[in-house]
Every structure is written in structure tokens, then in C-alpha cells.
Amino acid sequence: MNETKSTRRSRDALEVAIRKYGHPAAISDLNSFSESSDARRVFLDATFTMCRDSFMDFTIQKMSAGGGDIQGYECADDGKKADMHCPLARALQEYGIRVDVVSEAFVSYLRTWLGTFGRPTPPKPTMLYQHEARVRYNKEQETMAKAKTGHTREMLSTSKNVTKEHHHVSNQVKWDNLKPVLIRDLKIFESNRGTFLEGKLLVEPFTPMVGCTTIMEDNNGDVLLVAL
């Protein structure tokens, strides 16, 4: 796949930011990719996508804390603009984000998030606790919504948002040809086509709105958050 000069510059800028602020495990994964590999491109582009999508999480947190509305949070707090000496701010600019309307508070939020991205899976007790906390929080939100509106939020299904069409695939992989893989062998943003992951579900699937999450333990005792 050919890269334009602009795209290459964007990815290189983000790599500098990851190496400065990223978690050691994510940096180790990045080091394992060759400079021209598809895996490196996918890793960097997906990281940027999550950085961009984190703006909504940041906005919701600010709204929850201040009770304000969504407008104006690009330059939240004291309105201080992003410091362009920061590699992450420069990377956002290279990817086309208007840094003139992005606050330093948001870039600081991203730097903190980037430091946790790609970290090893937490121990099983921690994952179970986090799952219980998510379920408890969702139930509290449901109770608040029902008290305010008189009804609970509607659980959406993907069929309401996505029109699926069946396409015959001539090169489908047969189950008998799949090879087992362990959680410890998985790498972030790297496809494991032709393999299967076997284990047991430790909790009931949790469906907050669209899609569901659960926790699986493989035959080696490692655990993984599974999202569908």
C-alpha cells in the first residue's frame, strides 16, 4: 500500500508522540513492526482514531463535572490552547485536527490516556471488579433515566443501525483447518486469521447500548475482555 507524503508525515508524527507518552508495552509492539509494514500503519491509524474518539469521552466527563452543555468544550477550562511544542498536539495537527480550537486540557487528557493504551491485561480480580463496576454504573444510569423520563433507555441492536447483506465468500476458512491460539500470543491490531481462541466466559455478557462485552479465560489461565 502506497503512502502519500502527508499520510506518512501524520503517522511519523504520531509515532513520536507514542514513543514519548505511550505505555512501554505499546512501544514494544510498535518496535516489533517493520517501518513499511501494514501492521505499523494499522497500529498508528487505529491509535489516532481512538485519540479522536476520546474527545467525546473527554466532553462527557467535563459535562458531568460542570453540568454544562457540549458546546465550547473544545477550549474547556480556562480556554488555554494546545501547546504546539507537544508532539501529541503536532500529531493531531498533522492528522487534520484543528488545534486552534483544541484545548490544552484535552491534549493533557490524551497524554494521560496514551500512557495507559496498550498496557498488559490486568489480573483477573481487577477485570472482574471493573466489569462489576460497569454493570453497577449502567444500572444506576437506568434508574436515573427512568426516574426522569418514566421509562428506561431502549437497548439498541445493530440491526437498527446497520443493514447487513449476505455475500458468498469462496475462500471461507473451515473450522477443521483452524489452529488454536492463546491470549498471550495476541498482538494489538494484528489479525490472527486461521486461528481460534478457546476458553470459558467468567461473567454474563454485558450490553450497555449496542454490542456486548464479557470476560473470557483461556486454557492457560489468562483473561481477556471480549467485545462484540
Side-chain angles (χ1 to χ4, degrees), residues 151-199:
H151 57 80
T152 58
R153 294 178 297 177
E154 181 184 7
M155 295 295 104
L156 302 178
S157 67
T158 55
S159 61
K160 295 184 179 179
N161 300 298
V162 181
T163 302
K164 305 179 183 66
E165 296 181 4
H166 176 74
H167 297 284
H168 177 71
V169 180
S170 59
N171 61 342
Q172 288 182 339
V173 178
K174 296 182 179 180
W175 282 102
D176 293 342
N177 295 334
L178 298 179
K179 298 180 180 179
V181 65
L182 294 172
I183 290 174
R184 64 173 55 181
D185 298 324
L186 302 178
K187 286 189 176 182
I188 191 167
F189 300 131
E190 188 171 296
S191 173
N192 287 272
R193 184 175 177 81
T195 65
F196 70 92
L197 189 60
E198 183 178 8

Side-chain angles (χ1 to χ4, degrees), residues 134-148:
R134 285 192 294 269
V135 173
R136 184 166 58 250
Y137 174 79
N138 188 70
K139 288 182 178 179
E140 291 172 354
Q141 294 299 306
E142 290 291 342
T143 300
M144 291 173 59
K146 187 174 183 179
K148 186 175 182 179

Side-chain angles (χ1 to χ4, degrees), residues 50-51 54 88 92 105-115:
M50 287 188 288
C51 284
S54 292
L88 184 54
L92 294 176
F106 174 57
V107 177
S108 177
Y109 172 85
L110 277 187
R111 284 195 294 264
T112 300
W113 171 83
L114 203 56

Side-chain angles (χ1 to χ4, degrees), residues 204-218:
E204 290 288 333
F206 170 52
T207 307
M209 288 298 286
V210 176
C212 66
T213 62
T214 186
I215 299 174
M216 190 185 79
E217 182 177 30
D218 69 10

Side-chain angles (χ1 to χ4, degrees), residues 47-106:
T47 302
F48 165 72
T49 298
M50 287 188 288
C51 284
R52 182 195 62 199
D53 292 348
S54 292
F55 175 70
M56 184 55 68
D57 292 333
F58 171 77
T59 302
I60 291 172
Q61 287 189 25
K62 299 301 292 185
M63 289 173 60
S64 299
D69 89 39
I70 195 168
Q71 296 182 356
Y73 276 109
E74 292 92 340
C75 291
D77 299 328
D78 59 0
K80 183 179 179 181
K81 304 293 180 64
D83 181 4
M84 292 311 298
H85 290 95
C86 169
L88 184 54
R90 291 199 298 271
L92 294 176
Q93 183 180 48
E94 290 290 350
Y95 269 96
I97 299 296
R98 287 186 56 197
V99 293
D100 59 311
V101 296
V102 173
S103 70
E104 176 60 25
F106 174 57

